[in-house]
Structures are given as structure tokens and as C-alpha cells.
Amino acid sequence: MIVSAAEDLSVFGTDPWWLVCVKAVFVFAFLMVFVLVSIVMERKVVAWMQRRVGPNRHGPWGLLQSLADGVKLMLKEDLIVKGSDKVVFLLAPVVAAIPAFMAFAVIPFGPADHQISIFGERTTMQLTDLPVGILYILATASVGIYGIVLAGWSSNSPYPLLGGLRSTAQMISYEIAMGLSFAAVFIYSGSMSTSEIVNSQDERWFAVLLPVSFIVYIIAMVGETNRAPFDLPEAEGELVGGFNTEYSSIKFAMFMLAEYVNMVTVSAVATTLFLGGWRAPWPISGVWEGANHGWWPMLWFTLKLQLLIFLFIWLRGTLPRMRYDQFMKLGWKVLIPVSMVWLLLVATVRALRNDGYDFQEITLYVAGGVFAVLLVSLLVDYLREKGDKEEEAARSLAPQEQFDPMAGGFPVPPLPGQTLPPVPRRKPRSERQLVPAAAESLNDTVSVDNTAVKETDGA
Amino acid sequence: MTETTVGIGGAAGSFGAGTGQGTDMVLNIGPQHPSTHGVLRLRLVLDGERIAAAEPIVGYMHRGAEKLFEARDYRQIIMLANRHDWLSAFSNELGVVLAVERMLGMEVPARAVWLRTLLAELNRVLNHLMFLGSYPLELGGITPIFYAFTEREELQRVMEEVSGGRMHYMFNRVGGLKDELPAGWTGRARTTVARVRSQMGRLDDLVLGNEIFRGRTRGVGRLDAGTVHAYGVSGPVARASGVDFDLRRDEPYLAYGELADVLRVVTRTEGDCLARFECLLDQVHNSLDLADACLERLAELPPGPVNQRLPKVLKAPEGHTYAWTENPLGLNGYYLVSRGEKTPWRLKLRSASYNNVQALVELLPGTLVSDMVAILGSLFFVVGDVDK
């Protein structure tokens, strides 16, 4: 592989205006249909995982369920919260939904030469490409989060506020990990343009070449789209609905749409960057020469996309939600450092290769490096655990002052930090001793005999 | 410190003093909130996402059960009493009939005693399965509840066949049970118990072994034994804190005395959410063993009645007694005071959830909102049992 210093993007930007429109509409329609199918698929797959039937009323095999849901949502009463900041409140769902679509403009559905013909016009299967295509995707994805943050803030209600705040923090921490995982890809492909990145994966997918980046990206993309197990901004068990609590009708539908379109978008980015984009998977590409030509690439692309969506659904069906602080810890203390170190390694390997060292030597260095990092992490974990234990032991040895629950004349529960004296408990029957007959009346245990206890109370 | 109150109605009242700096937010969790299983309301003072103070506000579902008991005769009371904790209806009935039988000095036929034990244990499994499913749901895992409910469904079918009810069985009567068993029921019960036992592993795999689940529950909401005693917490929640107390062993009623070798009181010492969940899970296994033992014993028993003929007018003699049972959720006690009338003069109900929920005041401060959900769910309460 040779790093191409300046990529050739002259293929793009030559389409006539009507073809650009057709392509734009196609991208929009593709996303919409994909989302509708994904929602049905999600409900079906989750239903199977939970041994249910899932939706089966609308259309054959329940396929029109999401369409029916969409129509129903539009017909619902549209509420605007009285105390809300109305402009922002109305703007938020739009801000959330539109950038989700925009990122798709630079996703290649097929190779970057004139492979297909539409109405006699030969063109590429990509709306456009930019020399900084991936940065454009990162930018639009970040704007989308504003929708959630603003929705949370403008609703003027505690649950959405908490949801919006969580979303902000989540966004900030996971964008970094995501960006770092991209950087490794840039180093290897030598380009930020999506079509170039796919081109440079003709031998090996980056998922194989850069497994750590791939895993980091997969985690970050789930966090980025607010999906389980990272669906903290809309955690229904905690925040009712999170940022969308106060939304109804079409505005709520917009948020749902944005969430699913985002899912598709990040999956498309994962496909493009790590899974060879539109390239046919290995056994097929080896056997069939024409698999990467004509309209076929779109099929492979769609299949890969669908696979990633299935991953999202699988996660949702299996995992409980992470806690907010644990999630932040995962982002800042695990993903970002790991990505950094990995990026360092990748850069080093790249530089070595450019200087002409052979592959095996490099592999050895890399394996050694990874091993060393793991060893250090193990050591750190071990030491920390030890420290924790010592701390705990010291804490348990600390003297505690006596607490008398009856000091005020009547029994009170202990305040935080105070402890009750041990409460005498009845012994198990097997250990209990028989009380002599004379002391029977003093015995205060509840006697379980079958004779009723008679009491005269003057009546 | 400025305290901004964000919330509606009741939350607007000034409440406690937040420990945090700056602006505190008062957040109402409930009475309508997905994680409160009904209408428990919690008033939280938040500092960011950290809870500075918490107060459970109970009573939204108060139905005046104790007062209603006083206007019902002993047959009718059973129907009322099985409703406060709708997940352990059979065990609730049990306390009432035990109390009345004790007042009357009535001997219950041996078959009825064993059957009651069996059904009480099946009821315990039903109750625990509900929480084993709903707890992961509150933590965001949507699948386990469906597995739990599949097993619940099978057990419920058995219970329905014998009693006609799926939730409120109304199968206890003073002096025994309502009816003889349907033909072949014991065999079907046995296969159901075996099937439920064989499927319990799924919950272990899906929930207990999950790293995220463990991360969310281990060390969270640690309840120490002292607090357990101070607040009268009981049942699996108390046993998870190392309080080794189970009426089935320590003061055996029904046939538990003879089941001592099968009965295993599950305890943990950690007192955190995970320990409470593990307690519940282990109790299900033990309850299934107990149910099997009861079924075996029932097969050996000679045929005989399952109830006694009662007089037309059932009056408990003058006096008082306290009958407590180890309900699925904890100690459930009835203090029955009779003046020899058809109705009790007073029937005090001590329900498990009421005491268990009070411990929230101790557990919640200092935790995060997400932990609140984990802790709340792990206290395994039924709002009807809290509000009576």
C-alpha cells in the first residue's frame, strides 16, 4: 500500500443538476425506508429474543408496523409545554433530525468511477465526496446532539433537563474516542475522503488491520446514538423519557426518526471505514469477478449496514443500561487512553513500514507493546485493589461512638453515621431452652398453641 | 444556598436542607414513574445527579384495609386480606386463617396443612419471579422479564387449575382449604415445578453473570444489619444484609417444622443490591425444592378431608392473638383482637413492604439517580403492601 499524497476526487462534482437532485432524493428515501425496515426488524428480532411474536397486524408479517406507528404519531395531539422556551422547543427536534440525514451525503454506495448509468448519464454511486469527508461526518453528528441538549433544556422540566445534561457529557466524551479511532484509519489510508478510504481497503479491511480502532468505534457509535446499553439520556427507568419526556406527536416522531437515522449513519460510517464499504465480503469477492462492479456494491453495502443494525438490536435485547458515571469512566479512563496508545502504535508501525522494515519484525514489536500495556494495566489493577482493601480495613477499625436509641425517652432510628446496639433476637426453636413452669407468665414470646388466649377487658 | 424547586404541586414545599453547594433541585419520583411499580412517591433533593436527601411519601394507594376488616366477617376478610400485596395473595390469606384458627383452637387436617405449605411456596416462587424479571427491566435490560413471565405463566396455570384464580386465589378457608384438588393435579404440579427449575438457569446466565448488571448492583445501596433492625426490615432484603431470620425456620408454622432438612434460609452478608437479588434467586431454587418435598409428602398422606365443617356464623372467641408468617417479601403479621363478635374488633396488619420501604431514607442520600432506581427495585416492594 502506498499513501496517496493528494487524492483524486475529480470524479465528483461533475454530475448535472438533475442527477444531483435524483441522488439526494435517493439518499433521503434510502434512509427513510431503511429506518422503517430497521424499526420493524428491531421489534421482530427483540420479540424473538424474548420468545414473543412481535408485530404482525399491519401488512404481511407486520412489515408496515412502523409506517402505521408513524401515521399514528402524526395524528396525536401536539403539546407545547407552557413554561418552555417555545422557539427552541420547536427547533430542537428539527435540529436533531436534519444533521442525521446530512452525514449520508458522503457515504459511498459504490466505487468512485463511472460504474453505473442513470438515464444515459454515467455516474458514481455517491452523492459527493470531500477531501475531509470524515470530518464533515463528525461535524454533522455533533450538531445533531444539539437537538437533544436543547430539547432537554427548553422543556423546563427536571427529567428532560437531566437527560439533556447526560447527553452533553456523553457526546463530549465519546466524540474524542471516536475521533481517535478515525485517526488510525486516516494514518493507514492516508486520506479523509470516504471513497479513498474504501479504495485503500481493497486488500484487507481496516477492521482486520486495526481491530482496536474498530472495537473502540463500535462502542463509541453505540454511545453516540444513545442506544442501549448507553441510552442514558432517555433512560426510561430513571428519567421517564429523558430529553423527550415533554414531546408528543410529530416532534416526538422526529426524535425517534433522528435516533434511527443516526443509527444507520454511524453504521454506514463503520462500514465505510472498517468493513470495506461497498466491497463484497471475502468468499464472494474471491469467486466472482463482477461482485464489485455495476449495481452490486450497493447490495453488499446494505447487507453490512443491516448486520450492524442487527448488532444494535442484539445489544438492546441483551444488556441492561450502564450507570452514568460508569459510562463516563469507560469513555475517559478506558476508551480514550486505549485509543491514544493504539494510535501511537499505529503511527509507529506506519513510520517503520515507510522506512522499509519488514512486516514480521513490526508485528513482534506491536505484540510486545500490547503485552506490556496489558501487564501494566494488570499490575495497576492489582495494586489498586490492594489499596482499596487496606483503606476499607482502616475504615472498619475506626472507633464509633455509642448511640443510645432511647436517649430522648422514646426509641428513634439511628442517624447516618450512628449505629444501633445489637438487637436481641429470639433464638431458633431448636436452640431454645424450656422455661420452668414458675416463670411461664414472664415468658414474653408469642406462644403458638391452639388455645385462644382469653382476656377479660371489663366488657 | 439557593434552592430552586422544579416540580409540580407537592414538590414545591421546602424540604430539608441539601448538602450540596449552589442550586439544588427537588425532583419528584412518582407517584407516576416507571420505576416505582405503582404509586410510591419519592421526594429527592438533587445536587446535580447526586441525591442529597430522600423521603418516601406513602399513602397514595391507601384503601383502609384495616378499617374494612372490622366490618367484614371472617370469611370475607380473607378476600380483603389477600389484596394488599397482590403478588403474594396466598400467603396473605394464610395469616388471617391461621389467626382465626388459633383463636378457635381449631385443628386443620394434615392434608390441608401440607397443601397450604405447597401453595405458599409456589406463591413465593411466583412473587420472586416477578421481581427477578422486573428488576433487570428497571436497570434497562428488557429481555429477562419475558423469561421470568414465561415461567410465571406455567406456575400460574397450576395455581389457576387448583383455585380458579390467577392472582387472588381465595383458596384458604378457616379450617383448611376451599376444595379438594382436581384429579391428577399433583402430577401436573410436579412437572411444572421441574420445568420451572430447569429454566431458572436462563435468568442466571442473562442477568447474574452480566458485567453491567453486576457493576450497577455490587456495592450499591448497602444496607447494614443495624439499619435492618432499626427499621424492621425483613424478608429477603434483611437476609441479604446478614440478618439470619426466617419464620419458617425460627418459628415454624404450617408444615415447615417437618421440612427443616429441605428448608435452607438463604443469607448474604454484603447487603447490597446484588446480594438482595441473589437472595431472591436462591430462594426461588429453595422454594421449588420445598414444593417438591410437599408434593412427595402429599402423595404419601392417606386420603382425607382438606377442610372442616364450619358453623353458619363464625365467631372468634374473645381474646387476641398475633399470627405472623414469612411472606415472600418479608414478615406479614395480623394482630387479631376479637370481642366474640362475627367481625374482629381490630385486625392490625403488619405488612413487609411498609417497613422495607422506610429504609430508603437511609439508603438513598449520597447515591446517584441511576442508583436510586437500582436501590428502589432491589427493595422488592409492592405499593399495595406499603399503603394497605
Side-chain angles (χ1 to χ4, degrees):
Chain A
M1 265 183 300
I2 294 157
V3 182
S4 51
E7 54 270 349
D8 180 25
L9 296 178
S10 58
V11 196
F12 300 98
T14 54
D15 292 332
W17 64 269
W18 58 267
L19 193 54
V20 174
C21 287
V22 167
K23 279 184 180 177
V25 170
F26 171 79
V27 166
F28 180 75
F30 177 85
L31 272 172
M32 286 302 275
V33 172
F34 207 93
V35 164
L36 289 184
V37 173
S38 299
I39 293 176
V40 174
M41 178 179 148
E42 160 155 39
R43 295 183 57 175
K44 276 284 186 191
V45 170
V46 168
W48 289 335
M49 287 177 178
Q50 298 169 349
R51 309 181 68 194
R52 296 184 284 125
V53 181
N56 64 354
R57 297 287 100 179
H58 298 289
W61 201 63
L63 275 176
L64 299 180
Q65 179 67 44
S66 45
L67 202 67
D69 284 347
V71 172
K72 185 207 74 176
L73 268 178
M74 309 236 176
L75 297 175
K76 288 280 172 187
E77 185 186 359
D78 198 4
L79 291 171
I80 296 176
V81 184
K82 217 173 180 183
S84 66
D85 187 324
K86 285 196 186 55
V87 177
V88 182
F89 188 74
L90 292 172
L91 202 63
V94 181
V95 172
I98 288 180
F101 284 97
M102 276 163 58
F104 230 78
V106 294
I107 300 292
F109 288 76
D113 43 10
H114 295 310
Q115 288 275 347
I116 57 161
S117 126
I118 296 172
F119 300 124
E121 193 78 38
R122 296 206 68 83
T123 183
T124 55
M125 277 199 275
Q126 186 171 1
L127 181 53
T128 186
D129 200 359
L130 304 166
V132 289
I134 297 294
L135 287 190
Y136 165 77
I137 290 173
L138 271 176
T140 49
S142 323
V143 172
I145 299 293
Y146 274 103
I148 292 175
V149 176
L150 291 178
W153 176 78
S154 67
S155 298
N156 193 17
S157 165
Y159 294 120
L161 184 64
L162 288 175
L165 286 176
R166 284 181 177 194
S167 178
T168 321
Q170 197 165 323
M171 181 68 202
I172 292 169
S173 22
Y174 278 73
E175 281 278 276
I176 299 174
M178 199 183 227
L180 286 172
S181 71
F182 285 172
V185 173
F186 299 156
I187 289 175
Y188 250 86
S189 68
S191 169
M192 286 195 208
S193 123
T194 47
S195 59
E196 279 297 315
I197 288 171
V198 179
N199 270 340
S200 55
Q201 297 182 64
D202 54 351
E203 280 176 30
R204 227 176 269 135
W205 292 358
F206 284 150
V208 183
L209 212 56
L210 308 165
V212 175
S213 293
F214 180 58
I215 292 166
V216 168
Y217 178 73
I218 291 288
I219 296 172
M221 90 178 180
V222 179
E224 190 78 2
T225 45
N226 303 331
R227 289 280 304 183
F230 306 141
D231 53 345
L232 309 166
E234 44 187 321
E236 81 272 358
E238 300 152 26
L239 303 180
V240 188
F243 65 89
N244 61 31
T245 308
E246 304 290 352
Y247 280 89
S248 65
S249 186
I250 193 163
K251 295 204 288 294
F252 178 75
M254 293 268 261
F255 278 121
M256 286 299 281
L257 182 71
E259 180 185 328
Y260 279 87
V261 173
N262 264 326
M263 254 165 77
V264 180
T265 307
V266 292
S267 303
V269 173
T271 308
T272 305
L273 259 56
F274 295 102
L275 298 178
W278 41 262
R279 289 181 184 285
W282 167 68
I284 299 171
S285 61
V287 176
W288 178 23
E289 201 46 41
N292 283 333
H293 297 287
W295 288 92
W296 289 109
M298 193 182 277
L299 177 70
W300 314 131
F301 179 79
T302 315
L303 283 179
K304 287 174 188 174
L305 216 55
Q306 201 66 65
L307 217 64
L308 283 170
I309 297 283
F310 176 78
L311 179 76
F312 273 110
I313 298 168
W314 193 9
L315 288 177
R316 177 161 180 241
T318 323
L319 297 177
R321 187 178 303 115
M322 275 183 102
R323 204 171 64 201
Y324 177 63
D325 59 324
Q326 293 168 340
F327 182 59
M328 287 295 124
K329 242 177 239 166
L330 174 70
W332 287 100
K333 295 189 178 169
V334 180
L335 290 188
I336 292 176
V338 165
S339 307
M340 291 265 212
V341 172
W342 174 250
L343 190 60
L344 216 66
L345 274 174
V346 169
T348 316
V349 169
R350 227 22 246 186
L352 285 175
R353 279 192 95 178
N354 286 352
D355 287 351
Y357 287 87
D358 78 317
F359 193 73
Q360 278 199 325
E361 211 173 327
I362 294 170
T363 323
L364 213 67
Y365 286 144
V366 171
V370 169
F371 185 71
V373 168
L374 284 179
L375 209 68
V376 167
S377 101
L378 205 71
L379 214 68
V380 166
D381 271 1
Y382 175 73
L383 288 177
R384 193 169 52 192
E385 228 162 69
K386 215 172 168 189
D388 280 355
K389 267 186 199 141
E390 275 163 13
E391 218 170 85
E392 211 163 274
R395 214 180 302 135
S396 65
L397 282 177
Q400 283 169 335
E401 62 177 288
Q402 274 294 316
F403 164 65
D404 180 14
M406 293 294 288
F410 54 89
V412 290
L415 291 170
Q418 292 175 329
T419 47
L420 272 182
V423 174
R425 186 166 66 74
R426 187 200 322 277
K427 280 183 193 157
R429 175 156 285 189
S430 50
E431 292 170 26
R432 242 180 272 165
Q433 295 197 336
L434 285 176
V435 183
E440 200 162 30
S441 58
L442 297 172
N443 187 3
D444 65 344
T445 58
V446 181
S447 56
V448 191
D449 55 6
N450 284 331
T451 54
V453 185
K454 298 272 181 185
E455 250 192 21
T456 47
D457 53 359
Chain B
M1 189 195 74
T2 54
E3 186 174 276
T4 309
T5 299
V6 189
I8 312 143
S14 67
F15 163 65
T19 51
Q21 302 281 311
T23 312
D24 282 357
M25 184 162 80
V26 178
L27 184 66
N28 265 320
I29 302 285
Q32 284 94 27
H33 186 277
S35 71
T36 56
H37 302 258
V39 286
L40 178 75
R41 180 175 149 206
L42 291 174
R43 194 151 59 177
L44 308 178
V45 179
L46 294 185
D47 175 23
E49 282 225 15
R50 205 161 281 282
I51 296 167
E55 185 194 8
I57 300 168
V58 303
Y60 282 87
M61 227 181 121
H62 182 59
R63 291 161 292 178
E66 288 178 16
K67 199 69 195 165
L68 288 172
F69 289 155
E70 291 167 18
R72 302 284 186 280
D73 73 30
Y74 291 106
R75 293 181 177 93
Q76 296 168 321
I77 282 174
I78 302 169
M79 181 282 260
L80 264 183
N82 81 17
R83 270 160 170 77
H84 62 264
D85 173 2
W86 49 75
L87 291 177
S88 18
F90 192 84
S91 317
N92 296 341
E93 298 167 5
L94 210 53
V96 177
V97 294
L98 286 179
V100 179
E101 281 159 12
R102 191 179 298 162
M103 295 278 276
L104 288 167
M106 188 181 265
E107 280 287 346
V108 179
R111 286 195 68 220
V113 171
W114 281 95
L115 260 175
R116 276 179 178 178
T117 318
L118 167 66
L119 293 173
E121 286 309 314
L122 289 181
N123 193 195
R124 191 182 309 277
V125 177
L126 273 172
N127 175 300
H128 286 0
L129 277 175
M130 172 81 201
F131 287 102
L132 290 174
S134 76
Y135 187 52
L137 182 71
E138 276 152 34
L139 297 181
I142 53 175
T143 302
I145 192 164
F146 290 98
Y147 290 120
F149 265 70
T150 323
E151 286 140 41
R152 261 177 70 88
E153 195 57 41
E154 291 185 8
L155 278 172
Q156 245 169 358
R157 206 168 296 140
V158 168
M159 294 294 274
E160 187 180 3
E161 191 186 350
V162 73
S163 70
R166 285 169 60 82
M167 223 172 155
H168 298 295
Y169 307 109
M170 266 307 285
F171 202 52
N172 275 303
R173 291 292 184 276
V174 176
L177 293 168
K178 175 167 167 278
D179 269 323
E180 185 51 61
L181 297 176
W185 181 83
T186 40
R188 287 191 286 281
R190 207 183 284 261
T191 44
T192 305
V193 167
R195 201 172 318 139
V196 170
R197 185 182 289 124
S198 71
Q199 287 168 352
M200 283 305 292
R202 294 190 304 198
L203 275 175
D204 289 348
D205 297 341
L206 197 62
V207 183
L208 209 57
N210 188 302
E211 275 299 320
I212 298 179
F213 180 81
R214 293 185 90 85
R216 294 242 2 221
T217 52
R218 193 191 282 148
V220 171
R222 198 162 274 177
L223 186 67
D224 57 279
T227 319
V228 166
H229 289 308
Y231 282 87
V233 175
S234 57
V237 179
R239 286 193 284 274
S241 299
V243 178
D244 188 8
F245 180 62
D246 189 325
L247 277 181
R248 293 177 293 171
R249 180 199 60 198
D250 296 339
E251 201 170 300
Y253 56 101
L254 292 181
Y256 288 115
E258 293 176 54
L259 287 170
D261 46 341
V262 185
L263 178 72
R264 194 165 48 83
V265 178
V266 182
T267 52
R268 292 282 184 281
T269 47
E270 294 89 355
D272 54 4
C273 295
L274 184 64
R276 291 194 273 273
F277 188 82
E278 284 175 348
C279 259
L280 217 59
L281 198 60
D282 277 6
Q283 273 196 356
V284 170
H285 289 290
N286 188 234
S287 285
L288 290 171
D289 292 344
L290 283 170
D292 263 348
C294 288
L295 279 164
E296 260 161 45
R297 188 59 188 267
L298 269 171
E300 293 165 9
L301 283 177
V306 291
N307 49 21
Q308 289 200 344
R309 272 188 72 82
L310 293 180
K312 212 154 216 155
V313 178
L314 184 63
K315 286 182 181 168
E318 207 166 285
H320 61 98
T321 187
Y322 182 63
W324 54 349
T325 52
E326 185 70 36
N327 262 31
L329 299 179
L331 296 180
N332 190 76
Y334 293 98
Y335 183 60
L336 172 59
V337 183
S338 171
R339 293 196 169 170
E341 311 267 320
K342 281 198 295 185
T343 61
W345 184 75
R346 176 90 167 87
L347 184 54
K348 165 79 176 78
L349 167 60
R350 186 263 188 227
S351 59
S353 304
Y354 183 74
N355 287 57
N356 291 2
V357 160
Q358 304 307 319
L360 283 172
V361 181
E362 293 280 327
L363 286 179
L364 287 183
T367 58
L368 297 167
V369 173
S370 319
D371 285 340
M372 182 275 293
V373 179
I375 294 167
L376 199 62
S378 74
L379 283 182
F380 309 128
F381 63 92
V382 168
V383 178
D385 204 27
V386 176
D387 293 346
K388 304 176 200 175

